[in-house]
Amino acid sequence: MAWWGARMHRTPPPARPQLALFCDCEGHFAGEHAAPFADAGVERLLNLLASRHLHITFNVVAELCRSHRARIQRIAAAGHEIGCHGWRHERPRGLDRRGLEETLAQARGCYESLGLSVCGFRSPESAWSAALMRALPRHGFVWNAEGDRAAGPYRMGAVVRLPVTTDDWDLVDGSAEAGALLERWRLQLDARVRRGGVLCIGVHDWVVGRDGEFARRLEAWVDEVVQGKSAEVTTLCRVAHRVAVGSR
């Protein structure tokens, strides 16, 4: 049982492991230190993915659809999935019910201003709440990706929950350098290859733009995955759809 009482439905892993790589697209909402690097990070990622014919999920802070329309339009035009990363990068755990409802409604309006259909939500700092999980379906969200120690995706009430294993935050807080981080990701993916299932890993637009060494190592790691065909690189939406279909 999910911890507010809804049943969790488990789905058998696909025959081939899946790598759901995503980018939290935050720009200046991560702070003024991040703002100068966001466009460069998005361009690096778009070029990397286009040259390898890959599509991933960009979890976009919704207000960027108005403040930086061209940036988000480039992402959508390249065929990538757009997910919600809050309205203005607020932590859902700190919101009361009224604030939460306003945040989700305002975010939805931002995406609609660009004609974007968004069906997934990832909380800034993975600071989610039970109230958020109950509210998401009311605003048309069907999946949720958060830091979670679960072994794989599952149903949490009406929402498909996608456990995020790790991201590039270790580069920000200085607890790891790029080489060590990517080696950890290799080991995590190797474990998925042996056991099957889904590995959800995230990067940030401004981190990719700021850290050239990480960007180069990330590109090499993606090439290892693609050329070795060890896993299918996919979007969070596709993973969620498979779980939803398998749990019926």
Side-chain angles (χ1 to χ4, degrees), residues 121-136:
F121 188 95
R122 171 166 162 77
S123 302
E125 301 178 32
S126 275
W128 62 283
S129 67
L132 171 69
M133 298 301 294
R134 292 191 292 267
L136 289 177

Side-chain angles (χ1 to χ4, degrees), residues 25-175:
C25 195
E26 301 172 339
H28 65 283
F29 287 100
E32 290 306 313
H33 65 284
F37 304 104
D39 275 317
V42 167
E43 289 303 317
R44 280 179 171 175
L45 285 170
L46 291 180
N47 291 336
L48 184 162
L49 297 165
S51 64
R52 292 152 182 84
H53 307 289
L54 300 175
H55 292 95
I56 67 169
T57 301
F58 284 77
N59 297 311
V60 172
V61 175
E63 185 64 26
L64 290 172
C65 293
R66 293 174 174 159
S67 65
H68 292 74
R69 293 173 64 92
R71 182 187 303 164
I72 309 310
Q73 286 172 324
R74 288 199 302 273
I75 296 169
H80 298 287
E81 180 195 12
I82 303 294
C84 180
H85 196 44
W87 173 27
R88 293 175 172 167
H89 205 245
E90 55 282 296
R91 302 165 81 250
R93 191 177 298 158
L95 299 174
D96 59 18
R97 177 165 182 169
R98 180 177 178 179
L100 187 58
E101 294 290 337
E102 179 184 35
T103 290
L104 295 176
Q106 292 284 0
R108 177 66 65 190
C110 291
Y111 301 121
E112 290 175 352
S113 73
L114 289 185
L116 299 175
S117 177
V118 176
C119 67
F121 188 95
R122 171 166 162 77
S123 302
E125 301 178 32
S126 275
W128 62 283
S129 67
L132 171 69
M133 298 301 294
R134 292 191 292 267
L136 289 177
R138 293 197 293 270
H139 294 269
F141 295 103
V142 299
W143 63 255
N144 169 249
E146 309 285 7
D148 189 328
R149 294 186 179 182
Y154 55 89
R155 292 295 294 266
M156 191 176 256
V159 176
V160 175
R161 176 82 162 198
L162 304 172
V164 174
T165 301
T166 187
D167 61 17
D168 56 7
W169 195 253
D170 286 356
L171 302 178
V172 180
D173 66 16
S175 58

Side-chain angles (χ1 to χ4, degrees), residues 16-22 48-49 52-57 80 189 197-199 201 218 221-236 238-239:
R16 187 183 179 198
Q18 294 177 299
L19 171 62
L21 183 65
F22 64 86
L48 184 162
L49 297 165
R52 292 152 182 84
H53 307 289
L54 300 175
H55 292 95
I56 67 169
T57 301
H80 298 287
L189 185 58
V198 181
L199 180 66
I201 290 182
L218 176 66
W221 181 68
V222 170
D223 279 338
E224 289 176 19
V225 176
V226 172
Q227 294 169 9
K229 299 181 178 180
S230 57
E232 174 192 359
V233 179
T234 189
T235 66
L236 295 170
R238 289 175 185 158
V239 174

